[in-house]
Amino acid sequence: MNHRMLIRGAVPLTALALLVAGCGSSSSNSTTASTPATTTTAATTTAATTTPAATTTPAAPAKSSAATTLTIAADPSGQLAYTKTTLSAAAGKVTIAFTNASPLAHNFTLANSAGSVLGATPTFMGGTKDLTVTLKAGTYTYYCSVPGHRAAGMQGTLTVS
């Protein structure tokens, strides 16, 4: 009885395999009467395979290649100030290269218009640290978050368009 069930189960699978194989071979004979069905299936398969790859792959490099790099520094004389009080960038990936040649430790902190911090460099002395963020069009505030530095005027505005 189990043997018969195996044979009965195998017959539909064999028939299914023949149908699938038959469909595959008719796609190579595109001149038969089944051409519209085969062409539609092939076109659908090709479009489904091509569209996501074409959409996903070029979109990522396009954003990466459109990255903006901005440079800013702490006042090297030790004043609680940045060398620039305004910056501008295109929307997308933005890298801020912050240099601190000041005798005091500073950082570069970026916040949105609601005051939420989007990112910051570590607080450091000497050298350059990068902050990379993806920004939409809008106005952002940057400042040094070391206590007292922002209140003394170490801040500025980043405009993204």
Side-chain angles (χ1 to χ4, degrees):
M1 189 120 171
N2 288 336
H3 181 65
R4 285 183 188 170
M5 291 178 80
L6 287 175
I7 292 173
R8 283 185 185 172
V11 172
L13 289 176
T14 305
L16 179 63
L18 289 174
L19 286 174
V20 171
C23 288
S25 64
S26 68
S27 65
S28 63
N29 295 331
S30 59
T31 58
T32 63
S34 64
T35 300
T38 304
T39 303
T40 303
T41 303
T44 302
T45 302
T46 303
T49 303
T50 305
T51 302
T55 302
T56 303
T57 305
K63 289 182 182 179
S64 297
S65 64
T68 302
T69 299
L70 305 173
T71 58
I72 190 167
D75 183 290
S77 71
Q79 296 294 316
L80 298 180
Y82 289 111
T83 55
K84 301 173 188 173
T85 57
T86 59
L87 296 170
S88 61
K93 186 176 178 182
V94 178
T95 298
I96 296 107
F98 172 57
T99 301
N100 185 10
S102 169
L104 302 172
H106 294 294
N107 65 45
F108 182 95
T109 302
L110 184 66
N112 64 17
S113 60
S116 297
V117 173
L118 303 175
T121 66
T123 301
F124 67 100
M125 290 175 52
T128 300
K129 303 288 183 185
D130 291 346
L131 171 65
T132 301
V133 289
T134 301
L135 302 173
K136 295 179 182 179
T139 302
Y140 300 85
T141 301
Y142 59 88
Y143 58 91
C144 179
S145 67
V146 172
H149 290 203
R150 182 178 186 183
M154 195 166 186
Q155 67 179 7
T157 302
L158 168 61
T159 304
V160 177
S161 55

